[in-house]
Short mmCIF file of all heavy atoms in Angstrom, two decimals:
data_model
loop_
_atom_site.label_atom_id
_atom_site.label_comp_id
_atom_site.label_asym_id
_atom_site.label_seq_id
_atom_site.Cartn_x
_atom_site.Cartn_y
_atom_site.Cartn_z
N PHE B 1 -35.15 -89.17 10.66
CA PHE B 1 -34.40 -89.63 9.58
C PHE B 1 -32.84 -89.90 9.97
O PHE B 1 -32.53 -89.49 11.06
CB PHE B 1 -34.36 -88.49 8.45
CG PHE B 1 -34.36 -89.18 6.98
CD1 PHE B 1 -35.63 -89.14 6.39
CD2 PHE B 1 -33.37 -89.68 6.45
CE1 PHE B 1 -35.71 -89.67 5.21
CE2 PHE B 1 -33.44 -90.16 5.28
CZ PHE B 1 -34.54 -90.23 4.51
N ASN B 2 -32.01 -90.56 9.21
CA ASN B 2 -30.66 -90.72 9.45
C ASN B 2 -29.89 -89.55 9.35
O ASN B 2 -29.97 -88.90 8.38
CB ASN B 2 -30.20 -91.83 8.62
CG ASN B 2 -28.88 -92.39 8.94
OD1 ASN B 2 -27.92 -91.67 9.39
ND2 ASN B 2 -28.58 -93.69 8.74
N PRO B 3 -28.92 -89.23 10.32
CA PRO B 3 -28.18 -87.93 10.19
C PRO B 3 -27.13 -88.08 8.88
O PRO B 3 -26.57 -87.08 8.59
CB PRO B 3 -27.43 -87.86 11.43
CG PRO B 3 -27.46 -89.11 12.04
CD PRO B 3 -28.60 -89.85 11.63
N ASN B 4 -26.87 -89.23 8.39
CA ASN B 4 -25.97 -89.46 7.26
C ASN B 4 -26.69 -89.33 5.94
O ASN B 4 -26.12 -89.52 4.97
CB ASN B 4 -25.11 -90.70 7.43
CG ASN B 4 -24.30 -90.83 8.60
OD1 ASN B 4 -23.79 -89.80 8.97
ND2 ASN B 4 -24.19 -91.90 9.29
N VAL B 5 -27.86 -89.09 6.06
CA VAL B 5 -28.73 -89.10 4.72
C VAL B 5 -29.42 -87.76 4.65
O VAL B 5 -30.13 -87.31 5.62
CB VAL B 5 -29.84 -90.22 4.73
CG1 VAL B 5 -30.67 -90.08 3.44
CG2 VAL B 5 -29.15 -91.59 4.82
N SER B 6 -29.35 -87.08 3.57
CA SER B 6 -30.08 -85.89 3.34
C SER B 6 -30.73 -85.76 2.00
O SER B 6 -30.30 -86.70 1.09
CB SER B 6 -29.12 -84.75 3.25
OG SER B 6 -28.42 -84.48 4.42
N ILE B 7 -31.78 -85.07 1.69
CA ILE B 7 -32.46 -85.00 0.46
C ILE B 7 -32.31 -83.63 -0.07
O ILE B 7 -32.13 -82.56 0.79
CB ILE B 7 -34.04 -85.36 0.46
CG1 ILE B 7 -34.73 -84.59 1.45
CG2 ILE B 7 -34.20 -86.83 0.84
CD1 ILE B 7 -36.25 -84.80 1.37
N TYR B 8 -32.31 -83.40 -1.35
CA TYR B 8 -32.17 -82.02 -1.85
C TYR B 8 -33.14 -81.88 -3.08
O TYR B 8 -33.54 -83.00 -3.70
CB TYR B 8 -30.70 -81.79 -2.32
CG TYR B 8 -30.23 -82.57 -3.52
CD1 TYR B 8 -30.45 -82.09 -4.77
CD2 TYR B 8 -29.71 -83.93 -3.35
CE1 TYR B 8 -29.94 -82.80 -5.83
CE2 TYR B 8 -29.21 -84.55 -4.50
CZ TYR B 8 -29.36 -84.03 -5.70
OH TYR B 8 -28.95 -84.87 -6.80
N ALA B 9 -33.43 -80.62 -3.51
CA ALA B 9 -34.25 -80.33 -4.65
C ALA B 9 -33.88 -78.99 -5.07
O ALA B 9 -33.55 -78.12 -4.28
CB ALA B 9 -35.71 -80.50 -4.32
N GLY B 10 -33.92 -78.64 -6.44
CA GLY B 10 -33.72 -77.27 -6.73
C GLY B 10 -34.39 -77.19 -8.18
O GLY B 10 -34.63 -78.14 -8.89
N ALA B 11 -34.72 -75.92 -8.61
CA ALA B 11 -35.25 -75.54 -9.90
C ALA B 11 -34.67 -74.38 -10.43
O ALA B 11 -33.96 -73.55 -9.73
CB ALA B 11 -36.86 -75.40 -9.57
N GLY B 12 -34.74 -74.15 -11.75
CA GLY B 12 -34.21 -73.03 -12.44
C GLY B 12 -34.46 -73.16 -13.83
O GLY B 12 -35.39 -73.69 -14.44
N TYR B 13 -33.48 -72.57 -14.65
CA TYR B 13 -33.60 -72.62 -16.21
C TYR B 13 -32.46 -73.45 -16.57
O TYR B 13 -31.39 -73.35 -16.11
CB TYR B 13 -33.46 -71.11 -16.78
CG TYR B 13 -33.50 -71.07 -18.19
CD1 TYR B 13 -34.71 -71.02 -18.80
CD2 TYR B 13 -32.34 -71.17 -18.95
CE1 TYR B 13 -34.83 -70.96 -20.24
CE2 TYR B 13 -32.37 -71.07 -20.37
CZ TYR B 13 -33.60 -70.90 -20.97
OH TYR B 13 -33.77 -70.94 -22.26
N GLY B 14 -32.71 -74.33 -17.56
CA GLY B 14 -31.73 -75.19 -18.15
C GLY B 14 -31.78 -75.37 -19.64
O GLY B 14 -32.83 -75.05 -20.20
N SER B 15 -30.79 -75.85 -20.29
CA SER B 15 -30.87 -76.21 -21.71
C SER B 15 -30.08 -77.49 -21.95
O SER B 15 -29.16 -77.80 -21.21
CB SER B 15 -30.39 -75.09 -22.48
OG SER B 15 -29.01 -74.84 -22.21
N ARG B 16 -30.52 -78.22 -22.86
CA ARG B 16 -29.84 -79.41 -23.39
C ARG B 16 -29.86 -79.34 -24.86
O ARG B 16 -30.93 -79.26 -25.51
CB ARG B 16 -30.58 -80.72 -22.94
CG ARG B 16 -29.94 -81.92 -23.48
CD ARG B 16 -30.75 -83.18 -23.13
NE ARG B 16 -30.10 -84.37 -23.45
CZ ARG B 16 -30.38 -85.08 -24.55
NH1 ARG B 16 -31.10 -84.66 -25.34
NH2 ARG B 16 -29.78 -86.18 -24.76
N ARG B 17 -28.70 -79.42 -25.32
CA ARG B 17 -28.49 -79.23 -26.86
C ARG B 17 -27.84 -80.52 -27.40
O ARG B 17 -26.58 -80.74 -26.96
CB ARG B 17 -27.62 -78.00 -27.19
CG ARG B 17 -27.58 -77.79 -28.59
CD ARG B 17 -26.92 -76.39 -28.81
NE ARG B 17 -26.73 -76.17 -30.17
CZ ARG B 17 -26.01 -75.36 -30.82
NH1 ARG B 17 -25.19 -74.56 -30.02
NH2 ARG B 17 -25.99 -75.16 -32.15
N LEU B 18 -28.47 -81.17 -28.35
CA LEU B 18 -27.88 -82.41 -28.97
C LEU B 18 -27.44 -82.06 -30.26
O LEU B 18 -28.37 -81.49 -30.87
CB LEU B 18 -28.86 -83.56 -28.73
CG LEU B 18 -28.42 -84.72 -29.43
CD1 LEU B 18 -27.24 -85.40 -28.71
CD2 LEU B 18 -29.52 -85.82 -29.40
N ALA B 19 -26.31 -82.44 -30.72
CA ALA B 19 -25.85 -82.17 -32.06
C ALA B 19 -25.16 -83.43 -32.64
O ALA B 19 -24.62 -84.05 -31.77
CB ALA B 19 -24.94 -80.85 -32.17
N TRP B 20 -25.22 -83.57 -33.78
CA TRP B 20 -24.57 -84.80 -34.51
C TRP B 20 -23.58 -84.16 -35.47
O TRP B 20 -23.84 -83.18 -36.13
CB TRP B 20 -25.49 -85.63 -35.12
CG TRP B 20 -26.44 -86.41 -34.34
CD1 TRP B 20 -26.25 -86.63 -32.93
CD2 TRP B 20 -27.66 -87.12 -34.49
NE1 TRP B 20 -27.25 -87.42 -32.44
CE2 TRP B 20 -28.20 -87.66 -33.32
CE3 TRP B 20 -28.42 -87.15 -35.70
CZ2 TRP B 20 -29.39 -88.37 -33.29
CZ3 TRP B 20 -29.55 -87.86 -35.62
CH2 TRP B 20 -29.97 -88.41 -34.25
N GLU B 21 -22.39 -84.77 -35.62
CA GLU B 21 -21.51 -84.54 -36.66
C GLU B 21 -21.54 -85.42 -37.87
O GLU B 21 -21.58 -86.67 -37.59
CB GLU B 21 -20.04 -84.57 -36.02
CG GLU B 21 -18.87 -84.07 -36.95
CD GLU B 21 -17.68 -84.14 -36.29
OE1 GLU B 21 -17.45 -84.66 -35.21
OE2 GLU B 21 -16.70 -83.54 -36.80
N ASP B 22 -21.58 -84.85 -39.05
CA ASP B 22 -21.57 -85.82 -40.16
C ASP B 22 -20.19 -86.17 -40.64
O ASP B 22 -19.23 -85.74 -40.11
CB ASP B 22 -22.52 -85.11 -41.33
CG ASP B 22 -21.82 -83.86 -41.96
OD1 ASP B 22 -20.59 -83.58 -41.71
OD2 ASP B 22 -22.56 -83.12 -42.60
N VAL B 23 -20.14 -86.85 -41.85
CA VAL B 23 -18.84 -87.44 -42.22
C VAL B 23 -17.86 -86.22 -42.71
O VAL B 23 -16.80 -86.47 -42.79
CB VAL B 23 -18.98 -88.42 -43.35
CG1 VAL B 23 -19.51 -89.72 -42.74
CG2 VAL B 23 -19.85 -87.87 -44.45
N ASP B 24 -18.53 -85.04 -43.02
CA ASP B 24 -17.73 -83.97 -43.54
C ASP B 24 -17.24 -82.98 -42.44
O ASP B 24 -16.70 -82.01 -42.68
CB ASP B 24 -18.58 -83.14 -44.55
CG ASP B 24 -18.97 -83.90 -45.78
OD1 ASP B 24 -18.08 -84.72 -46.17
OD2 ASP B 24 -20.10 -83.79 -46.30
N GLY B 25 -17.61 -83.33 -41.20
CA GLY B 25 -17.22 -82.57 -40.02
C GLY B 25 -18.18 -81.43 -39.72
O GLY B 25 -17.89 -80.52 -38.93
N GLN B 26 -19.38 -81.46 -40.18
CA GLN B 26 -20.36 -80.44 -40.05
C GLN B 26 -21.29 -80.85 -38.97
O GLN B 26 -21.58 -81.96 -38.86
CB GLN B 26 -21.22 -80.11 -41.31
CG GLN B 26 -20.29 -79.52 -42.58
CD GLN B 26 -19.72 -78.31 -42.30
OE1 GLN B 26 -20.30 -77.41 -41.82
NE2 GLN B 26 -18.66 -78.16 -42.63
N TRP B 27 -21.67 -79.89 -38.17
CA TRP B 27 -22.53 -80.23 -37.07
C TRP B 27 -23.90 -79.82 -37.27
O TRP B 27 -24.20 -78.67 -37.87
CB TRP B 27 -21.93 -79.49 -35.71
CG TRP B 27 -20.83 -80.04 -35.22
CD1 TRP B 27 -19.43 -79.80 -35.38
CD2 TRP B 27 -20.74 -81.24 -34.25
NE1 TRP B 27 -18.66 -80.49 -34.78
CE2 TRP B 27 -19.36 -81.43 -34.01
CE3 TRP B 27 -21.58 -81.95 -33.61
CZ2 TRP B 27 -18.86 -82.49 -33.13
CZ3 TRP B 27 -21.19 -82.99 -32.81
CH2 TRP B 27 -19.88 -83.19 -32.60
N ALA B 28 -24.86 -80.48 -36.83
CA ALA B 28 -26.36 -80.23 -37.11
C ALA B 28 -26.94 -80.43 -35.67
O ALA B 28 -26.85 -81.46 -35.09
CB ALA B 28 -26.92 -81.03 -38.11
N GLU B 29 -27.68 -79.41 -35.18
CA GLU B 29 -28.61 -79.60 -34.06
C GLU B 29 -29.75 -80.55 -34.31
O GLU B 29 -30.46 -80.39 -35.29
CB GLU B 29 -29.03 -78.23 -33.42
CG GLU B 29 -29.73 -78.32 -32.19
CD GLU B 29 -30.16 -77.03 -31.57
OE1 GLU B 29 -29.68 -75.96 -32.00
OE2 GLU B 29 -30.96 -77.02 -30.57
N VAL B 30 -30.01 -81.42 -33.26
CA VAL B 30 -31.23 -82.24 -33.37
C VAL B 30 -32.23 -81.65 -32.58
O VAL B 30 -32.30 -81.68 -31.32
CB VAL B 30 -30.81 -83.74 -32.77
CG1 VAL B 30 -32.01 -84.61 -32.89
CG2 VAL B 30 -29.74 -84.22 -33.47
N SER B 31 -33.26 -80.86 -33.35
CA SER B 31 -34.16 -80.03 -32.51
C SER B 31 -35.12 -80.87 -31.72
O SER B 31 -35.55 -80.41 -30.86
CB SER B 31 -34.81 -79.17 -33.71
OG SER B 31 -35.47 -79.82 -34.58
N ASP B 32 -35.43 -82.05 -32.23
CA ASP B 32 -36.53 -82.96 -31.53
C ASP B 32 -35.90 -83.35 -30.27
O ASP B 32 -36.64 -83.60 -29.26
CB ASP B 32 -36.83 -84.11 -32.30
CG ASP B 32 -37.62 -83.87 -33.56
OD1 ASP B 32 -38.02 -82.72 -33.76
OD2 ASP B 32 -37.78 -84.68 -34.35
N LEU B 33 -34.57 -83.34 -29.91
CA LEU B 33 -33.99 -83.87 -28.65
C LEU B 33 -33.23 -82.73 -27.97
O LEU B 33 -32.66 -83.05 -26.99
CB LEU B 33 -33.02 -85.04 -28.93
CG LEU B 33 -33.65 -86.19 -29.63
CD1 LEU B 33 -32.76 -87.29 -29.86
CD2 LEU B 33 -34.85 -86.71 -28.62
N SER B 34 -33.40 -81.54 -28.38
CA SER B 34 -32.79 -80.24 -27.78
C SER B 34 -33.86 -79.53 -27.15
O SER B 34 -34.96 -79.30 -27.83
CB SER B 34 -32.08 -79.48 -28.85
OG SER B 34 -30.96 -80.29 -29.39
N HIS B 35 -33.68 -79.15 -25.88
CA HIS B 35 -34.72 -78.40 -25.17
C HIS B 35 -34.15 -77.41 -24.16
O HIS B 35 -33.04 -77.47 -23.79
CB HIS B 35 -35.51 -79.43 -24.29
CG HIS B 35 -36.09 -80.64 -25.08
ND1 HIS B 35 -37.03 -80.44 -25.95
CD2 HIS B 35 -35.67 -81.93 -25.00
CE1 HIS B 35 -37.35 -81.65 -26.43
NE2 HIS B 35 -36.49 -82.49 -25.93
N LYS B 36 -34.92 -76.36 -23.85
CA LYS B 36 -34.50 -75.32 -22.89
C LYS B 36 -35.79 -74.75 -22.23
O LYS B 36 -36.81 -74.78 -22.76
CB LYS B 36 -33.74 -74.32 -23.65
CG LYS B 36 -34.38 -73.45 -24.67
CD LYS B 36 -33.50 -72.42 -25.22
CE LYS B 36 -34.00 -71.93 -26.51
NZ LYS B 36 -33.10 -70.94 -27.16
N GLY B 37 -35.65 -74.41 -21.00
CA GLY B 37 -36.64 -73.97 -20.24
C GLY B 37 -36.58 -74.44 -18.80
O GLY B 37 -35.45 -74.40 -18.23
N PHE B 38 -37.66 -74.59 -18.10
CA PHE B 38 -37.74 -74.95 -16.69
C PHE B 38 -36.91 -76.29 -16.47
O PHE B 38 -37.12 -77.11 -17.19
CB PHE B 38 -39.11 -75.15 -16.23
CG PHE B 38 -39.38 -75.63 -14.84
CD1 PHE B 38 -39.16 -74.82 -13.79
CD2 PHE B 38 -39.59 -76.99 -14.68
CE1 PHE B 38 -39.19 -75.31 -12.54
CE2 PHE B 38 -39.72 -77.47 -13.30
CZ PHE B 38 -39.52 -76.47 -12.29
N ALA B 39 -36.14 -76.21 -15.45
CA ALA B 39 -35.37 -77.39 -15.20
C ALA B 39 -35.41 -77.59 -13.67
O ALA B 39 -35.59 -76.78 -12.73
CB ALA B 39 -33.97 -77.07 -15.59
N PHE B 40 -35.30 -78.84 -13.25
CA PHE B 40 -35.31 -79.23 -11.77
C PHE B 40 -34.41 -80.46 -11.61
O PHE B 40 -34.11 -81.13 -12.57
CB PHE B 40 -36.72 -79.53 -11.34
CG PHE B 40 -37.27 -80.73 -11.68
CD1 PHE B 40 -37.18 -81.94 -10.97
CD2 PHE B 40 -37.97 -80.96 -12.98
CE1 PHE B 40 -37.73 -83.21 -11.36
CE2 PHE B 40 -38.45 -82.15 -13.30
CZ PHE B 40 -38.35 -83.17 -12.53
N GLU B 41 -33.97 -80.60 -10.34
CA GLU B 41 -33.13 -81.79 -9.88
C GLU B 41 -33.51 -82.05 -8.53
O GLU B 41 -33.79 -81.18 -7.75
CB GLU B 41 -31.69 -81.51 -10.02
CG GLU B 41 -30.86 -82.67 -9.69
CD GLU B 41 -29.31 -82.47 -9.91
OE1 GLU B 41 -28.95 -81.58 -10.69
OE2 GLU B 41 -28.59 -83.19 -9.36
N ALA B 42 -33.64 -83.29 -8.13
CA ALA B 42 -33.96 -83.87 -6.82
C ALA B 42 -33.19 -85.03 -6.66
O ALA B 42 -32.84 -85.91 -7.60
CB ALA B 42 -35.41 -84.03 -6.75
N GLY B 43 -32.89 -85.37 -5.34
CA GLY B 43 -32.14 -86.63 -5.07
C GLY B 43 -31.77 -86.66 -3.57
O GLY B 43 -32.27 -85.99 -2.76
N ALA B 44 -30.73 -87.52 -3.29
CA ALA B 44 -30.36 -87.80 -1.92
C ALA B 44 -28.86 -87.78 -1.91
O ALA B 44 -28.10 -88.08 -2.79
CB ALA B 44 -30.91 -89.21 -1.52
N LEU B 45 -28.40 -87.37 -0.65
CA LEU B 45 -26.94 -87.35 -0.39
C LEU B 45 -26.74 -88.25 0.78
O LEU B 45 -27.35 -88.37 1.64
CB LEU B 45 -26.54 -85.93 0.13
CG LEU B 45 -26.77 -84.81 -0.89
CD1 LEU B 45 -26.51 -83.51 -0.26
CD2 LEU B 45 -25.73 -85.00 -2.04
N PHE B 46 -25.66 -89.06 0.62
CA PHE B 46 -25.32 -90.10 1.59
C PHE B 46 -23.86 -89.80 2.23
O PHE B 46 -22.95 -89.65 1.40
CB PHE B 46 -25.36 -91.56 1.15
CG PHE B 46 -26.61 -91.82 0.40
CD1 PHE B 46 -26.75 -91.72 -1.00
CD2 PHE B 46 -27.74 -92.25 1.11
CE1 PHE B 46 -27.95 -91.95 -1.62
CE2 PHE B 46 -29.03 -92.49 0.48
CZ PHE B 46 -29.03 -92.37 -0.93
N SER B 47 -23.63 -89.76 3.49
CA SER B 47 -22.33 -89.46 3.87
C SER B 47 -21.80 -90.66 4.64
O SER B 47 -22.52 -91.48 5.33
CB SER B 47 -22.33 -88.34 4.99
OG SER B 47 -22.74 -87.10 4.41
N TRP B 48 -20.56 -90.97 4.45
CA TRP B 48 -19.87 -92.03 5.12
C TRP B 48 -18.37 -91.58 5.42
O TRP B 48 -17.62 -91.36 4.40
CB TRP B 48 -19.81 -93.31 4.27
CG TRP B 48 -19.19 -94.48 4.91
CD1 TRP B 48 -19.57 -95.18 6.08
CD2 TRP B 48 -17.94 -95.03 4.39
NE1 TRP B 48 -18.61 -96.12 6.30
CE2 TRP B 48 -17.50 -95.98 5.33
CE3 TRP B 48 -17.09 -94.77 3.39
CZ2 TRP B 48 -16.52 -96.80 5.16
CZ3 TRP B 48 -15.87 -95.49 3.32
CH2 TRP B 48 -15.67 -96.55 4.13
N LYS B 49 -18.04 -91.38 6.74
CA LYS B 49 -16.76 -90.86 7.05
C LYS B 49 -16.52 -89.53 6.25
O LYS B 49 -17.33 -88.69 6.45
CB LYS B 49 -15.62 -91.88 6.70
CG LYS B 49 -15.88 -93.15 7.67
CD LYS B 49 -14.67 -94.12 7.64
CE LYS B 49 -14.81 -95.33 8.41
NZ LYS B 49 -13.76 -96.14 8.43
N SER B 50 -15.47 -89.30 5.62
CA SER B 50 -15.25 -88.13 4.99
C SER B 50 -15.74 -88.13 3.43
O SER B 50 -15.36 -87.26 2.65
CB SER B 50 -13.80 -87.63 4.91
OG SER B 50 -12.94 -88.64 4.25
N LEU B 51 -16.43 -89.01 2.97
CA LEU B 51 -17.01 -89.22 1.68
C LEU B 51 -18.53 -88.93 1.56
O LEU B 51 -19.10 -89.12 2.60
CB LEU B 51 -16.80 -90.68 1.16
CG LEU B 51 -15.31 -91.00 0.94
CD1 LEU B 51 -15.38 -92.48 0.51
CD2 LEU B 51 -14.64 -90.21 -0.14
N ALA B 52 -18.81 -88.36 0.52
CA ALA B 52 -20.20 -87.91 0.13
C ALA B 52 -20.62 -88.50 -1.05
O ALA B 52 -19.90 -88.45 -2.08
CB ALA B 52 -20.48 -86.38 0.22
N PHE B 53 -21.66 -89.21 -1.03
CA PHE B 53 -22.32 -89.77 -2.33
C PHE B 53 -23.61 -89.22 -2.77
O PHE B 53 -24.40 -88.97 -1.73
CB PHE B 53 -22.49 -91.36 -2.14
CG PHE B 53 -21.27 -92.01 -1.73
CD1 PHE B 53 -20.90 -92.19 -0.38
CD2 PHE B 53 -20.21 -92.42 -2.78
CE1 PHE B 53 -19.80 -92.84 0.01
CE2 PHE B 53 -19.14 -93.13 -2.28
CZ PHE B 53 -18.91 -93.34 -1.06
N SER B 54 -23.91 -88.86 -3.97
CA SER B 54 -25.15 -88.31 -4.39
C SER B 54 -25.76 -89.20 -5.43
O SER B 54 -25.12 -89.71 -6.31
CB SER B 54 -25.10 -86.88 -4.77
OG SER B 54 -24.28 -86.75 -6.04
N LEU B 55 -27.08 -89.18 -5.36
CA LEU B 55 -27.70 -89.87 -6.47
C LEU B 55 -29.17 -89.12 -6.66
O LEU B 55 -29.80 -88.85 -5.65
CB LEU B 55 -28.12 -91.36 -5.95
CG LEU B 55 -28.96 -92.14 -7.03
CD1 LEU B 55 -27.99 -92.42 -8.28
CD2 LEU B 55 -29.32 -93.52 -6.45
N GLY B 56 -29.34 -88.72 -7.87
CA GLY B 56 -30.49 -87.83 -8.14
C GLY B 56 -31.04 -87.98 -9.65
O GLY B 56 -30.54 -88.84 -10.28
N PHE B 57 -32.14 -87.19 -9.88
CA PHE B 57 -32.72 -87.17 -11.15
C PHE B 57 -32.94 -85.73 -11.68
O PHE B 57 -33.22 -84.83 -10.74
CB PHE B 57 -34.19 -87.80 -10.91
CG PHE B 57 -35.04 -87.67 -12.09
CD1 PHE B 57 -34.98 -88.55 -13.15
CD2 PHE B 57 -36.03 -86.61 -12.23
CE1 PHE B 57 -35.84 -88.34 -14.29
CE2 PHE B 57 -36.82 -86.39 -13.30
CZ PHE B 57 -36.70 -87.38 -14.29
N SER B 58 -32.70 -85.51 -12.81
CA SER B 58 -32.86 -84.05 -13.30
C SER B 58 -33.56 -84.05 -14.71
O SER B 58 -33.64 -85.11 -15.42
CB SER B 58 -31.49 -83.44 -13.55
OG SER B 58 -30.80 -83.95 -14.69
N SER B 59 -34.26 -82.98 -14.95
CA SER B 59 -35.08 -82.93 -16.20
C SER B 59 -35.08 -81.48 -16.73
O SER B 59 -35.05 -80.54 -15.85
CB SER B 59 -36.51 -83.38 -15.97
OG SER B 59 -37.23 -83.25 -17.14
N VAL B 60 -35.18 -81.29 -18.06
CA VAL B 60 -35.31 -79.88 -18.64
C VAL B 60 -36.66 -80.04 -19.20
O VAL B 60 -36.89 -80.76 -20.28
CB VAL B 60 -34.23 -79.60 -19.55
CG1 VAL B 60 -34.44 -78.22 -20.32
CG2 VAL B 60 -32.80 -79.70 -18.66
N SER B 61 -37.56 -79.08 -18.98
CA SER B 61 -38.88 -78.95 -19.51
C SER B 61 -39.70 -80.18 -19.60
O SER B 61 -40.55 -80.36 -20.42
CB SER B 61 -38.68 -78.32 -20.97
OG SER B 61 -38.14 -77.02 -20.95
N PHE B 62 -39.33 -81.18 -18.58
CA PHE B 62 -40.06 -82.48 -18.54
C PHE B 62 -39.84 -83.20 -19.94
O PHE B 62 -40.72 -84.04 -20.15
CB PHE B 62 -41.49 -82.26 -18.10
CG PHE B 62 -41.64 -81.68 -16.85
CD1 PHE B 62 -41.97 -80.34 -16.62
CD2 PHE B 62 -41.47 -82.31 -15.63
CE1 PHE B 62 -42.14 -79.67 -15.48
CE2 PHE B 62 -41.64 -81.78 -14.41
CZ PHE B 62 -41.92 -80.48 -14.26
N ARG B 63 -38.95 -82.91 -20.65
CA ARG B 63 -38.75 -83.61 -21.98
C ARG B 63 -37.42 -84.39 -22.01
O ARG B 63 -37.19 -85.15 -22.87
CB ARG B 63 -38.65 -82.69 -23.08
CG ARG B 63 -40.02 -81.98 -23.33
CD ARG B 63 -39.92 -80.88 -24.34
NE ARG B 63 -41.24 -80.41 -24.53
CZ ARG B 63 -41.78 -80.07 -25.75
NH1 ARG B 63 -41.02 -80.25 -26.91
NH2 ARG B 63 -42.82 -79.50 -25.78
N THR B 64 -36.59 -84.10 -20.91
CA THR B 64 -35.35 -85.02 -20.73
C THR B 64 -35.44 -85.64 -19.43
O THR B 64 -36.10 -85.14 -18.40
CB THR B 64 -34.07 -84.22 -20.80
OG1 THR B 64 -34.08 -83.25 -19.79
CG2 THR B 64 -34.06 -83.40 -22.22
N ALA B 65 -34.73 -86.78 -19.20
CA ALA B 65 -34.64 -87.47 -17.97
C ALA B 65 -33.30 -87.98 -17.78
O ALA B 65 -32.74 -88.70 -18.61
CB ALA B 65 -35.70 -88.50 -17.88
N GLU B 66 -32.58 -87.60 -16.75
CA GLU B 66 -31.17 -87.95 -16.56
C GLU B 66 -30.97 -88.41 -15.14
O GLU B 66 -31.40 -87.81 -14.22
CB GLU B 66 -30.24 -86.95 -16.86
CG GLU B 66 -30.25 -86.50 -18.29
CD GLU B 66 -29.25 -85.49 -18.53
OE1 GLU B 66 -28.44 -85.09 -17.74
OE2 GLU B 66 -29.17 -84.96 -19.75
N LEU B 67 -30.29 -89.55 -14.97
CA LEU B 67 -29.91 -90.00 -13.55
C LEU B 67 -28.51 -89.29 -13.29
O LEU B 67 -27.68 -89.38 -14.27
CB LEU B 67 -29.88 -91.55 -13.64
CG LEU B 67 -29.53 -92.06 -12.17
CD1 LEU B 67 -30.67 -91.80 -11.09
CD2 LEU B 67 -29.31 -93.60 -12.40
N VAL B 68 -28.29 -88.66 -12.16
CA VAL B 68 -27.04 -88.06 -11.98
C VAL B 68 -26.57 -88.74 -10.71
O VAL B 68 -27.28 -89.05 -9.69
CB VAL B 68 -27.23 -86.58 -11.72
CG1 VAL B 68 -27.48 -85.82 -13.08
CG2 VAL B 68 -28.21 -86.08 -10.77
N CYS B 69 -25.19 -88.81 -10.49
CA CYS B 69 -24.68 -89.50 -9.39
C CYS B 69 -23.25 -88.72 -9.21
O CYS B 69 -22.56 -88.28 -10.24
CB CYS B 69 -24.50 -90.86 -9.32
SG CYS B 69 -23.50 -91.61 -10.84
N GLY B 70 -22.72 -88.77 -8.00
CA GLY B 70 -21.47 -88.11 -7.67
C GLY B 70 -20.91 -88.65 -6.52
O GLY B 70 -21.54 -89.28 -5.67
N VAL B 71 -19.54 -88.42 -6.44
CA VAL B 71 -18.80 -88.84 -5.19
C VAL B 71 -17.91 -87.54 -4.88
O VAL B 71 -17.30 -87.05 -5.80
CB VAL B 71 -17.85 -90.03 -5.36
CG1 VAL B 71 -17.04 -90.39 -4.30
CG2 VAL B 71 -18.79 -91.23 -5.86
N GLY B 72 -17.85 -87.29 -3.57
CA GLY B 72 -17.02 -86.07 -3.18
C GLY B 72 -16.44 -86.33 -1.84
O GLY B 72 -16.62 -87.37 -1.19
N VAL B 73 -15.64 -85.41 -1.47
CA VAL B 73 -14.90 -85.46 -0.09
C VAL B 73 -15.27 -84.23 0.56
O VAL B 73 -15.35 -83.12 0.29
CB VAL B 73 -13.36 -85.28 -0.43
CG1 VAL B 73 -12.54 -85.25 0.95
CG2 VAL B 73 -12.88 -86.42 -1.23
N LYS B 74 -15.79 -84.58 1.96
CA LYS B 74 -16.23 -83.54 2.85
C LYS B 74 -15.00 -82.98 3.65
O LYS B 74 -14.15 -83.80 4.03
CB LYS B 74 -17.18 -84.06 3.92
CG LYS B 74 -18.43 -84.47 3.16
CD LYS B 74 -19.54 -84.97 4.24
CE LYS B 74 -19.05 -85.92 5.39
NZ LYS B 74 -19.97 -86.17 6.37
N PHE B 75 -14.84 -81.70 3.80
CA PHE B 75 -13.90 -81.14 4.51
C PHE B 75 -14.42 -79.91 5.33
O PHE B 75 -15.33 -79.40 5.08
CB PHE B 75 -12.68 -80.79 3.68
CG PHE B 75 -12.92 -79.92 2.48
CD1 PHE B 75 -12.86 -78.51 2.56
CD2 PHE B 75 -13.30 -80.56 1.28
CE1 PHE B 75 -13.02 -77.66 1.43
CE2 PHE B 75 -13.48 -79.81 0.21
CZ PHE B 75 -13.39 -78.44 0.20
#
């Protein structure tokens, strides 16, 4: 594999809580779209000079799906 590319994976406990605010300023949780339980994330890291870029996928209880990305500085 290329030394500038790495893969990663992790698992644990996670939660995602979705709430909506009504016109009166009251918040209500959307239980159909809020989940907690087993969570995982997997993806790849790319290095270029002193920069690091990540691109991955995460999920909570296999009911949510999110694309995650980031940029960082290596030191």
